[in-house]
């Protein structure tokens, strides 16, 4: 008898490793996706611009429902401070993008 939480097959797949069929489907989907992105008429950006509601609905499903993280209580900040930090990071990203496109 196995102890609680112990696998019946210790040499089996490690947890989180997709099986062969799942891996094959993902690789095939990725290959088709890459192929479509080279098309001027059938890429994801074109579809997203034509179907923004569907694009946002689909992208929302790709965001994990749960995120595990540990908060560091030594550095508390308010929602206003968080918004300010996010705004400054976005501004920095815009500056870097402008510099890169100017170069």
């Amino acid at each position: 008898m196995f102890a609680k939480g112990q696998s019946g097959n210790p040499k089996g797949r490690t947890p989180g490793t997709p099986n062969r069929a799942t891996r094959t489907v993902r690789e095939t989907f990725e290959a088709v996706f890459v192929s479509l992105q080279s098309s001027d008429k059938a890429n994801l950006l074109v579809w997203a611009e034509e179907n923004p509601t569907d694009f946002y609905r689909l992208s929302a499903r790709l965001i994990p429902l749960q995120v595990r993280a540990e908060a560091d209580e030594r550095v508390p900040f308010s929602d206003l401070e968080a918004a300010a930090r996010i705004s400054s990071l976005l501004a920095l990203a815009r500056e870097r993008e402008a510099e890169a496109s100017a170069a």
Side-chain angles (χ1 to χ4, degrees):
M1 182 61 76
F2 292 101
K4 184 177 180 179
Q6 182 180 3
S7 169
N9 181 4
K11 293 184 179 183
R13 260 187 304 131
T14 56
T17 303
N19 64 31
R20 189 175 304 151
T22 301
R23 187 178 63 241
T24 301
V25 169
R26 285 183 181 166
E27 289 170 356
T28 303
F29 188 88
E30 181 180 357
V32 170
F33 180 81
V34 169
S35 175
L36 284 173
Q37 292 314 295
S38 63
S39 167
D40 291 337
K41 296 181 180 179
N43 67 32
L44 185 59
L45 178 60
V46 171
W47 177 80
E49 289 172 344
E50 293 172 356
N51 305 284
T53 302
D54 292 331
F55 174 76
Y56 289 123
R57 186 175 294 133
L58 178 61
S59 60
R61 289 184 177 186
L62 298 174
I63 298 170
L65 296 177
Q66 292 181 344
V67 177
R68 293 183 185 178
E70 295 195 20
D72 185 355
E73 294 184 27
R74 294 174 294 161
V75 188
F77 52 91
S78 68
D79 290 345
L80 186 58
E81 290 170 318
R85 289 180 185 195
I86 292 169
S87 294
S88 66
L89 289 172
L90 289 172
L92 180 61
R94 284 189 206 107
E95 287 174 19
R96 289 184 180 173
E97 186 176 288
E99 290 171 1
S101 61

